[in-house]
Amino acid sequence: FRVQGIPARFLNQAESMVDGIIKEDVHMIHLKGLWWRILIMNETAYPTEFRSYAWNDKTYDKWGALYRVWNPEYRGRPMIFQSRCNQSTEECEAA
């Protein structure tokens, strides 16, 4: 019996990464929360203080590629709303 330890990010990468950087060695991305449910089910991306489509576009592309295995007709063209947030500081203007 042999066990090998691997870094947790290989199996459970946080999905909302600044600049959308996902390393090639990531095998699973945990899409959690209402933001992802709205994006996936309604194809709508609303920016928040903690998530923006720009930070998650690579993750959405990976999800879409895998989803097309089961649903080849899926095109995945989300409606992207612009942010009033400064992406580098995560500060948002009042609406």
Side-chain angles (χ1 to χ4, degrees):
F1 189 94
R2 184 177 170 184
V3 175
Q4 178 180 353
I6 58 173
R9 70 176 159 67
F10 286 6
L11 299 176
N12 192 12
Q13 176 67 51
E15 84 288 352
S16 194
M17 304 293 290
V18 175
D19 296 328
I21 298 169
I22 298 173
K23 302 201 182 219
E24 291 299 317
D25 57 4
V26 171
H27 299 289
M28 185 182 298
I29 302 168
H30 187 180
L31 308 181
K32 57 188 176 288
L34 183 60
W35 192 89
W36 277 104
R37 287 193 284 285
I38 291 171
L39 177 59
I40 290 169
M41 302 305 279
N42 296 337
E43 294 189 343
T44 306
Y46 293 97
T48 70
E49 188 174 353
F50 303 106
R51 286 191 174 92
S52 74
Y53 186 77
W55 293 355
N56 293 287
D57 61 343
K58 302 290 187 284
T59 302
Y60 184 73
D61 291 346
K62 283 187 180 234
W63 176 85
L66 292 172
Y67 187 71
R68 277 190 286 284
V69 170
W70 290 281
N71 186 0
E73 294 81 30
Y74 177 75
R75 294 293 164 246
R77 297 183 191 104
M79 182 181 300
I80 312 301
F81 289 86
Q82 296 300 315
S83 176
R84 291 188 181 134
C85 300
N86 179 328
Q87 300 296 330
S88 62
T89 64
E90 295 186 1
E91 291 180 12
C92 298
E93 297 175 13

